Amino acid sequence: MIHALILMRFCLLGVFGDTEEVKISVMEGESVTLHTDLTHIQTDLEIEWRFEKIRIARIKRSVNIDPTYDNETEIFRENLKMNNQTGDLTITHITSQHSGLYKLNIFTGNKQKVKSFSLTAYAPLPTPVITSDVSHCSSSKCVLLCSVMNVRDVTLSWHNGSRTHSSINVSEQKSISLPLEVEYQDTNTYSCVINNPISNQTKPFCLADLCRPCSDVTHSCGTVEASMRLVVTAVMGVAAVAAVIVLSYDIRSRRDELKRKSHTSPTTTSIEE
């Protein structure tokens, strides 16, 4: 009997020991369950969940078998579901507003167990966009820009094969670009990667498609400009020819009209005499 009491006391001390903290990362729109590690709720247990010091759910088995929800914050509404057998708390349709500290309190008699969950919700990652920065074009090198719009808590990096060439971190919401300077004859394989702790997006590309010597770019632009000049000249020529035709027709019409009048005038005079 004494051994049984000692064993029970040891178990209780093991369960209701120091505060634990669990870090959880989840994608926005998904669901997550915070576990109490209990198999069932005994009659003398009270389980309480808090978010940033605000109580959001509770079960007091001696009073009610079903959980009660204290939705003092509008961000949860119908996003909470507490298991009435284990006390586990499920949060559905997670957004960035659900990021924060969740605290589990388990009370039994004069003992208390505290367990904390640090939850971080991450937005889906966009695919990086790679462009050529022609303003920094030279005869031997070109500069590429890898860009993403409206991101936070991410790392944007250039990779040369499996090696990270350069990177930039951003914690607050903003748009960022990361440059990469390469030789035109470079045969390495590059890619741009955006990632956070739970996901990543990789954008591969062909170096030859984006990097061309400045002379080629200038020549291409000069060819386009020359073509435009030819088109404009041709249009102006057609317009000039059309104007000459219209003017010639107008002069001919006036001349014919004068001839008709000159023939009609003498005939009319002889009749009157």
Side-chain angles (χ1 to χ4, degrees):
M1 182 66 179
I2 295 175
H3 291 290
L5 290 174
I6 294 173
L7 180 60
M8 182 179 295
R9 185 171 182 272
F10 175 80
C11 292
L12 285 174
L13 288 174
V15 173
F16 298 92
D18 297 333
T19 301
E20 304 175 48
E21 181 169 316
V22 179
K23 293 185 181 297
I24 300 175
S25 298
V26 65
M27 189 74 72
E28 287 186 6
E30 296 182 351
S31 301
V32 68
T33 298
L34 310 181
H35 296 282
T36 62
D37 298 329
L38 298 175
T39 56
H40 68 282
I41 303 174
Q42 298 176 357
T43 306
D44 60 341
L45 285 183
E46 178 182 352
I47 299 176
E48 175 188 80
W49 285 100
R50 289 181 174 268
F51 173 68
E52 302 293 353
K53 299 182 179 180
I54 299 174
R55 190 172 65 190
I56 55 177
R58 159 175 93 151
I59 287 181
K60 192 171 184 179
R61 185 63 87 206
S62 60
V63 176
N64 197 341
I65 194 172
D66 294 320
T68 57
Y69 302 95
D70 302 286
N71 293 326
E72 297 180 24
T73 57
E74 294 185 359
I75 65 171
F76 290 106
R77 297 186 181 180
E78 298 180 358
N79 296 71
L80 297 179
K81 178 66 176 179
M82 190 174 179
N83 188 304
N84 64 358
Q85 297 297 318
T86 63
D88 294 347
L89 183 70
T90 299
I91 310 164
T92 61
H93 307 295
I94 286 177
T95 69
S96 60
Q97 291 181 304
H98 297 134
S99 295
L101 186 65
Y102 293 79
K103 187 167 288 187
L104 166 68
N105 294 308
I106 303 177
F107 303 97
T108 178
N110 61 350
K111 296 182 180 296
Q112 177 184 1
K113 177 182 178 181
V114 179
K115 187 176 181 180
S116 298
F117 299 82
S118 179
L119 177 66
T120 304
Y122 292 92
L125 294 175
T127 300
V129 175
I130 301 174
T131 56
S132 178
D133 185 1
V134 294
S135 64
H136 291 85
C137 177
S138 71
S139 59
S140 60
K141 298 179 180 180
C142 79
V143 176
L144 301 176
L145 288 177
C146 180
S147 305
V148 285
M149 305 289 288
N150 299 323
V151 292
R152 64 177 177 83
D153 298 324
V154 301
T155 299
L156 185 66
S157 55
W158 282 107
H159 286 243
N160 180 357
S162 59
R163 182 175 65 88
T164 301
H165 183 276
S166 60
S167 64
I168 184 175
N169 299 313
V170 58
S171 57
E172 59 186 24
Q173 190 93 6
K174 61 166 56 176
S175 299
I176 53 175
S177 293
L178 184 65
L180 172 70
E181 186 178 77
V182 292
E183 301 279 350
Y184 291 115
Q185 294 79 19
D186 197 332
T187 58
N188 290 316
T189 302
Y190 293 94
S191 61
C192 184
V193 179
I194 182 173
N195 69 280
N196 57 32
I198 60 174
S199 63
N200 68 79
Q201 286 278 9
T202 301
K203 178 68 174 181
F205 67 98
C206 178
L207 195 62
D209 291 341
L210 291 175
C211 277
R212 290 185 298 168
C214 283
S215 57
D216 291 351
V217 175
T218 304
H219 177 72
S220 176
C221 294
T223 302
V224 173
E225 184 178 356
S227 300
M228 291 298 295
R229 287 178 179 175
L230 287 174
V231 170
V232 171
T233 302
V235 171
M236 292 178 66
V238 171
V241 171
V244 170
I245 294 174
V246 171
L247 182 59
S248 299
Y249 177 79
D250 186 58
I251 293 173
R252 187 178 300 171
S253 298
R254 289 177 179 274
R255 188 179 297 167
D256 292 343
E257 182 66 24
L258 289 173
K259 285 182 179 181
R260 283 196 299 272
K261 287 183 179 180
S262 63
H263 284 91
T264 305
S265 180
T267 306
T268 305
T269 305
S270 62
I271 291 173
E272 289 177 353
E273 292 176 353

